[in-house]
Amino acid sequence: DAGITQSPRHKVTETGTPVTLRCHQTENHRYMYWYRQDPGHGLRLIHYSYGVKDTDKGEVSDGYSVSRSKTEDFLLTLESATSSQTSVYFCAISEKGNTGQLNSPLHFGNGTRLTVT
Amino acid sequence: DQQVKQNSPSLSVQEGRISILNCDYTNSMFDYFLWYKKYPAEGPTFLISISSIKDKNEDGRFTVFLNKSAKHLSLHIVPSQPGDSAVYFCARYTGANSKLTFGKGITLSVRP
C-alpha cells in the first residue's frame, strides 16, 4: 500500500466551525489531491498540489482551502463548515501529474468521514 | 463537457460467471480510461486502464473493451469471485488539461 495517512478518520462538527483535514504521505510524491465522494456524484476533485506551496483549484473548490508547506503534508481546510460539506474526503497522491498513465495512477488514502450537523 | 456515465448503480452476479460493468462517455477527447475499485472504508485502488488508441486491454481476469464509435467501454471480470464485490469507478483522463473525471460508480455484488 502507498504510504498515505489521513487524519482524522471520522469527525463530527457543527455548522460554522472551521475544520482541517490532514493528509500525510511517505512516498515523496510530488502531486497530491483532495477528492470528495458523495452518493450519486462519484469522486470529485476539490484541490490539488503539484509541489510545495503550489496548489490549484479543482471542480468543487468553493468553501475549501488547502496548504502544502512540506512535500509530505497536504491540508484541507473548511473555513466555515456547512451541511453540504458532509461527505467522505479522500486524499490521493501521484508520482507524476499524468494520472491517466499506467506509471502514474492515483493512490488513495482510506478517507475521512466528515459530518456537519 | 467531459461526462462519464455509469448508468447502472448496481450489478449482482453468481460466483464463477462473468461480470460486465458498463461506462458511457460524452465528448471524444480523452487519452485514457481507467477503472478503480473501492471496498467499504477504504480508498479506491487502480485496477486497469486503456489507451484511446486501443480497443482492448487485458490483465488476468480483468478485460476492458473500448468502443469509440459508440462512446462506450466495459469492464469484464471472468470468472467473478466474491472478493470482487466492491464499487467500481470508471474514470477518463485527458492529457491536454490533465483532467481526471470519475463516474458515479457501480456496486458489484458477487454471490457465492
Side-chain angles (χ1 to χ4, degrees):
Chain A
D1 289 346
I4 307 169
T5 304
Q6 290 187 235
S7 58
R9 290 296 312 276
H10 302 271
K11 185 170 182 66
V12 180
T13 191
E14 293 184 349
T15 298
T17 59
V19 177
T20 294
L21 308 183
R22 181 178 183 244
C23 178
H24 178 78
Q25 60 142 332
T26 58
E27 304 296 319
N28 201 36
H29 283 354
R30 177 180 175 186
Y31 296 84
M32 298 186 75
Y33 307 80
W34 277 106
Y35 283 86
R36 60 179 289 176
Q37 183 195 3
D38 303 289
H41 289 280
L43 292 156
R44 293 180 292 173
L45 181 65
I46 306 171
H47 281 281
Y48 65 98
S49 170
Y50 46 96
V52 173
K53 291 187 169 49
D54 291 323
T55 64
D56 207 347
K57 296 179 180 179
E59 59 183 304
V60 289
S61 60
D62 288 348
Y64 302 95
S65 63
V66 290
S67 66
R68 190 164 178 206
S69 58
K70 299 183 290 184
T71 299
E72 57 266 34
D73 290 324
F74 193 31
L75 304 180
L76 176 70
T77 297
L78 290 66
E79 302 291 346
S80 178
T82 67
S83 58
S84 65
Q85 293 176 311
T86 293
S87 186
V88 180
Y89 291 86
F90 289 100
C91 174
I93 65 174
S94 174
E95 187 173 4
K96 305 171 187 175
N98 50 345
T99 52
Q101 297 190 16
L102 289 175
N103 62 353
S104 187
L106 287 174
H107 297 285
F108 286 86
N110 286 331
T112 294
R113 181 173 294 276
L114 176 67
T115 302
V116 183
T117 60
Chain B
D1 181 17
Q2 297 185 342
Q3 283 193 353
V4 176
K5 300 176 182 178
Q6 295 181 266
N7 294 318
S8 300
S10 63
L11 175 69
S12 180
V13 299
Q14 191 75 38
E15 180 179 6
R17 306 293 292 268
I18 184 172
S19 295
I20 300 176
L21 289 73
N22 295 308
C23 182
D24 297 298
Y25 60 95
T26 59
N27 188 321
S28 299
M29 191 174 84
F30 72 93
D31 292 301
Y32 292 87
F33 271 100
L34 305 92
W35 286 92
Y36 281 81
K37 174 181 178 180
K38 183 185 178 305
Y39 292 118
E42 295 183 9
T45 56
F46 171 73
L47 186 59
I48 191 170
S49 69
I50 187 166
S51 164
S52 60
I53 63 173
K54 305 269 189 178
D55 54 19
K56 176 183 175 181
N57 188 28
E58 188 173 357
D59 183 2
R61 296 187 297 112
F62 302 91
T63 303
V64 57
F65 295 92
L66 177 62
N67 183 335
K68 289 188 281 292
S69 62
K71 296 182 181 176
H72 176 84
L73 73 158
S74 58
L75 175 67
H76 292 212
I77 306 174
V78 182
S80 300
Q81 300 173 354
D84 296 327
S85 297
V87 177
Y88 289 80
F89 292 99
C90 172
R92 69 187 288 172
Y93 177 78
T94 304
N97 56 10
S98 298
K99 188 170 182 178
L100 186 65
T101 303
F102 286 85
K104 297 177 183 179
I106 301 172
T107 300
L108 172 66
S109 299
V110 181
R111 306 185 303 274

